[in-house]
Amino acid sequence: MSERRPIASRDTKLAARIAKRLVDRGVSPNHISQASMAFAAVAGGAFWLAGITSGLLFVITLIVTALGCQGRLLCNLFDGMVAVEGGRGEADGPFWNEAPDRVADLLILVGLGLGTGNAALGWAAAALAIGTAYVRELGSAQNLPADFRGPMAKPQRMAVATVAAIIAIFVPLIFGIPVLTIALWVITIGTAATIIRRSVGLIAALKSR
């Protein structure tokens, strides 16, 4: 498995207990990774539906979206804990540790784009999100430490999406602009900045050898 992203919740007693229960029940870390794509599909689909619904259905779709984004992150937390701390890592684990994340970003961000009527921007955000991982893995391939820096790494992208969904339930518009549209722009610009920051760091690290 590649170098792990620093996650504060990984060190909590609750996370350790849940991970142990998953290990005791024989849950495969690969299956947890695959489940993250299902949560992402739910979140992305709910984002899309939020754009064509109103009233109670609008509220429900946003709640489902927030839960789907957080479910995706929980899968990202527990697949690693079950594999590493639980000793259940599998030979193809490195693939399932990375590939579902790229699919999940695509599903959620494109769904957000469709839901806000900004499909092109959603695709751009998804492409940039995949780009952040590419730069990180490019550095790892050169035997450099994995660069998980933001300002808009995966946890921050999901935080913005989740918070925006919750805010939109109560305040759909800010200065006449949909909250979800603002969130998509924040994610897109922040993710672009993340690629630039990681790229600059990678180039500097390579030159310093």
Side-chain angles (χ1 to χ4, degrees), residues 16 30 33 35 45 48 52 55 69 89 95 109 112 124 131 140 167 174 177 193 196:
N30 289 354
S33 298
W48 172 64
I52 57 175
C69 289
F95 174 85
L109 295 175
L112 178 55
S140 296
I167 291 175
I174 295 180
I177 304 173
I196 294 171

Side-chain angles (χ1 to χ4, degrees), residues 33-49 65 68-69 72 99-115 119 122-123 125-127 129-130 157-158 161 184:
S33 298
Q34 292 156 11
S36 71
M37 293 186 288
F39 278 109
V42 169
F47 264 136
W48 172 64
L49 288 173
T65 290
C69 289
R72 180 252 176 123
D101 269 340
R102 310 294 77 80
V103 175
D105 275 325
L106 184 70
L107 290 170
I108 292 173
L109 295 175
V110 171
L112 178 55
L114 292 172
W123 280 103
I130 294 171
R157 292 193 297 271
M158 293 302 97
L184 181 56

Side-chain angles (χ1 to χ4, degrees), residues 3-201:
E3 192 173 342
R4 302 170 78 189
R5 182 186 304 273
I7 303 176
S9 56
R10 185 184 292 132
D11 299 324
T12 63
K13 292 182 179 179
L14 177 60
R17 285 198 296 269
I18 295 174
K20 184 179 185 302
R21 182 166 297 183
L22 291 170
V23 171
D24 292 342
R25 293 187 176 182
V27 177
S28 163
N30 289 354
H31 290 163
I32 299 175
S33 298
Q34 292 156 11
S36 71
M37 293 186 288
F39 278 109
V42 169
F47 264 136
W48 172 64
L49 288 173
I52 57 175
T53 57
S54 60
L56 180 59
L57 285 178
F58 177 73
V59 172
I60 292 174
T61 57
L62 291 178
I63 292 173
V64 170
T65 290
L67 292 175
C69 289
Q70 291 306 301
R72 180 252 176 123
L73 287 182
L74 287 174
C75 287
N76 293 159
L77 170 65
F78 290 118
D79 62 355
M81 293 187 71
V82 170
V84 178
E85 283 83 356
R88 288 185 55 83
E90 302 175 61
D92 55 349
F95 174 85
W96 292 112
N97 185 56
E98 291 293 333
D101 269 340
R102 310 294 77 80
V103 175
D105 275 325
L106 184 70
L107 290 170
I108 292 173
L109 295 175
V110 171
L112 178 55
L114 292 172
T116 59
N118 297 282
L121 187 61
W123 280 103
L128 290 168
I130 294 171
T132 63
Y134 172 79
V135 175
R136 186 193 73 232
E137 290 301 310
L138 182 60
S140 296
Q142 297 300 316
N143 297 316
L144 295 171
D147 189 351
F148 293 106
R149 292 180 297 174
M152 199 59 66
K154 176 178 62 182
Q156 288 77 44
R157 292 193 297 271
M158 293 302 97
V160 171
T162 300
V163 171
I166 295 172
I167 291 175
I169 292 174
F170 306 99
V171 187
L173 303 174
I174 295 180
F175 300 117
I177 304 173
V179 169
L180 296 182
T181 298
I182 295 172
L184 181 56
W185 274 107
V186 169
I187 291 172
T188 303
I189 295 171
T191 306
T194 300
I195 291 179
I196 294 171
R197 185 184 185 193
R198 291 184 183 183
S199 296
V200 170

